[in-house]
Amino acid sequence: MNHGEEEDGKSYANEAIDDHAEGRDSSAEPDGTYSAARLSNLHRTYLSGMRRIKWKILSVQLLLLVLFIGLWETAGRRDWIDVLLFSYPSKLFNQLWTTILDGSLIPHIGITSAETIVGFVLGTILGTALAAMLWWFPFVSRVLDPYLVVLNSMPKVALGPLFIIAFGAGFTAIVATTLSVTVIITTLSIYSRFCEVDAGLIKVVRLFGGTRRQIFTQIIMPDSFATIISTLKVNVGLAWVGVIVGEFLTSRSGLGYLIVYGFQVFNFTLVLSSLVVIAIVATVMYRLVVALEQWLTRGRTGR
């Protein structure tokens, strides 16, 4: 749930609070406070407002998707667009259904998903560990800072051939390409957050004799928890970019390979259907990460 949805939901509860503030709330206590029943009612109003906003957003999203697919299908069937290049949804569905039935699509999805998950997990872990090291050793941070900036700005496609030579054409080279995309961004994002932690909190811990380890575990990491969790969602997209780039360069299987093969044989329906599969699988992976974020946030709030 994003900040905008939360604010819209809160407005429903705020309206009730405003009614009380203007003297229209007959259920308030004589001293101006709310009774337990009134607070419970405000909470239900807030949750109801949140649900309404959520369903409105979902309805508009589905409507836009249906309109887009319908317009695309109509444009393809009426020759408003070049069908050879842009195809249309029913042809894409037939392509996907045929490859699912003959068993040729599922292995490609499995390979690309495995590469993405490995790159995503390793990129997040290594990036967080490197950010922690940079915070722990300020001298190292100053030394590596220009190199991190250069590596971040370097086109990752240019590194692909080096990984192929170093690791061979295959799974390892693709994961290495993915890490080149995810690790640096993760490091810079989390390290920047580490450096933005309130210096006053750190001074308080030092005044009470806290060690550097205690400062990191009790101040830096807890205060940066939200940023680390948000980085997970960013890394989902980055991992997919890295994997597809790697498959473009070296793979003989996977969704990236299907896209390249489709271009080679001039089968753009295969290209677009592969992109649709990537969008679906990436969305599922993103939703799983969002669910993980909500679970971790709930657990943290509970503590």
Side-chain angles (χ1 to χ4, degrees):
M1 182 183 302
N2 58 40
H3 181 70
E5 294 177 31
E6 184 177 355
E7 289 300 318
D8 289 336
K10 287 179 180 178
S11 65
Y12 289 93
N14 289 339
E15 289 176 3
I17 295 175
D18 291 340
D19 288 346
H20 165 66
E22 294 174 10
R24 297 195 298 269
D25 189 356
S26 59
S27 65
E29 299 294 335
D31 60 356
T33 61
Y34 288 111
S35 65
R38 181 57 176 163
L39 290 175
S40 177
N41 184 54
L42 286 173
H43 181 65
R44 285 195 299 270
T45 302
Y46 168 75
L47 293 179
S48 176
M50 297 287 280
R51 284 192 293 268
R52 278 197 289 259
I53 292 295
K54 181 180 178 180
W55 281 111
K56 284 180 182 178
I57 291 173
L58 181 60
S59 299
V60 174
Q61 288 174 336
L62 290 175
L63 177 62
L64 290 175
L65 179 61
V66 170
L67 289 175
F68 172 74
I69 293 175
L71 180 60
W72 187 7
E73 181 77 18
T74 302
R77 290 186 176 276
R78 299 191 176 217
D79 294 326
W80 296 347
I81 58 176
D82 189 340
V83 178
L84 180 64
L85 293 178
F86 299 106
S87 191
Y88 50 85
S90 60
K91 286 187 67 175
L92 299 185
F93 176 80
N94 290 334
Q95 173 74 39
L96 290 173
W97 186 247
T98 300
T99 52
I100 289 174
L101 289 180
D102 64 23
S104 61
L105 179 61
I106 302 302
H108 291 290
I109 296 176
I111 291 170
T112 300
S113 298
E115 293 165 345
T116 304
I117 292 171
V118 171
F120 165 74
V121 173
L122 288 180
T124 302
I125 293 174
L126 293 177
T128 304
L130 184 55
M133 184 196 71
L134 294 177
W135 179 87
W136 201 281
F137 303 103
F139 179 79
V140 175
S141 172
R142 290 190 175 187
V143 171
L144 295 182
D145 181 68
Y147 297 101
L148 292 174
V149 173
V150 171
L151 287 174
N152 185 48
S153 61
M154 185 175 296
K156 306 308 181 287
V157 177
L159 298 176
L162 297 178
F163 295 135
I164 295 172
I165 294 173
F167 302 110
F171 185 89
T172 305
I174 294 172
V175 171
T177 304
T178 306
L179 293 179
S180 71
V181 176
T182 58
V183 170
I184 302 301
I185 294 294
T186 302
T187 300
L188 293 176
S189 298
I190 296 179
Y191 175 66
S192 296
R193 178 56 197 159
F194 285 172
C195 295
E196 292 171 358
V197 173
D198 188 357
L201 296 175
I202 298 175
K203 290 179 180 178
V204 169
V205 175
R206 285 176 176 167
L207 286 174
F208 283 93
T211 63
R212 193 164 184 80
R213 176 190 294 274
Q214 290 173 324
I215 292 173
F216 184 77
T217 57
Q218 298 179 23
I219 300 297
I220 302 299
M221 283 296 290
D223 198 71
S224 305
F225 182 80
T227 299
I228 295 173
I229 295 299
S230 297
T231 303
L232 292 176
K233 293 189 288 188
V234 175
N235 276 352
V236 171
L238 294 178
W240 276 98
V241 170
V243 166
I244 298 303
V245 167
E247 290 184 344
F248 280 173
L249 296 174
T250 182
S251 182
R252 293 292 180 179
S253 58
L255 297 173
Y257 165 75
L258 289 181
I259 293 174
V260 173
Y261 176 76
F263 275 116
Q264 290 173 343
V265 300
F266 222 65
N267 183 354
F268 291 101
T269 299
L270 176 60
V271 172
L272 292 173
S273 63
S274 299
L275 291 174
V276 169
V277 174
I278 289 174
I280 293 173
V281 179
T283 300
V284 171
M285 186 174 173
Y286 179 83
R287 296 308 305 175
L288 290 174
V289 171
V290 170
L292 175 64
E293 176 190 16
Q294 293 174 345
W295 179 75
L296 291 174
T297 303
R298 268 201 310 271
R300 182 179 172 78
T301 303
R303 290 192 296 271

